[in-house]
Amino acid sequence: MAKATCMKNYEFKVRNMLAQIALLGTVLCAAAYKASGMQATNGLLLGLLTGSFYFLYLYRQVENVQVFSVKQAVEHIRGGWIVRLGAMVLMLIIVSHVLKVNVLLFVAGFFVMPVLLFINGMVLVVKQIADAKKCN
């Protein structure tokens, strides 16, 4: 019962994060289009989409680790890291040499997800500290 509740909470957090990426991405894409036109927007949009797929891949990896032993889980995460890094390098090569979009905006769009994860983590820590102080 507790495991099912944790997974529902986890799925809610994942959906919430994707919604935050979409909202911030919409605002950033509108600003990029207004400032620099369609080529800048394309780079930012590709970065946002790549970051979102990267996030979903991480989500699937964490979801799959539940059924593994500790040793298997560590190996699975390490193997996934190599796959994620390879996919990111491949995407950078495609963006810079094939699609000819703004690479800096692609990277900025990709890093929206880690920034949001950091902010959400900080909010969670601050809430836990506040709750701990209320109990004392």
Side-chain angles (χ1 to χ4, degrees):
M1 183 74 172
K3 189 174 184 177
T5 303
C6 286
M7 281 309 295
K8 284 184 182 184
N9 187 30
Y10 181 62
E11 290 172 6
F12 173 76
K13 295 285 186 185
V14 168
R15 282 192 214 112
N16 187 17
M17 179 59 68
L18 289 173
Q20 289 176 16
I21 292 170
L23 179 64
L24 187 57
T26 301
V27 170
L28 291 175
C29 283
Y33 181 74
K34 185 168 178 131
S36 300
M38 199 61 196
Q39 188 174 7
T41 307
N42 287 341
L44 187 62
L45 188 60
L46 279 172
L48 287 163
L49 288 172
T50 303
S52 297
F53 283 120
Y54 188 90
F55 178 70
L56 287 171
Y57 185 76
L58 282 172
Y59 163 67
R60 290 290 178 213
Q61 257 194 315
V62 171
E63 190 177 52
N64 291 338
V65 164
Q66 300 176 53
V67 296
F68 295 148
S69 69
V70 174
K71 184 178 178 184
Q72 289 174 324
V74 169
E75 290 173 6
H76 182 71
I77 295 295
R78 283 186 184 152
W81 177 82
I82 293 168
V83 169
R84 291 190 312 270
L85 179 64
M88 189 64 210
V89 169
L90 178 65
M91 194 62 189
L92 277 171
I93 291 169
I94 290 170
V95 163
S96 63
H97 295 324
V98 177
L99 298 179
K100 305 285 185 192
V101 298
N102 190 328
V103 175
L104 291 176
L105 285 172
F106 170 81
V107 171
F110 178 81
F111 279 102
V112 163
M113 181 264 309
V115 167
L116 286 174
L117 280 172
F118 177 77
I119 291 170
N120 282 323
M122 291 302 295
V123 168
L124 181 64
V125 167
V126 168
K127 283 181 182 178
Q128 287 181 347
I129 290 170
D131 288 345
K133 285 183 179 180
K134 286 179 188 177
C135 292
N136 291 331

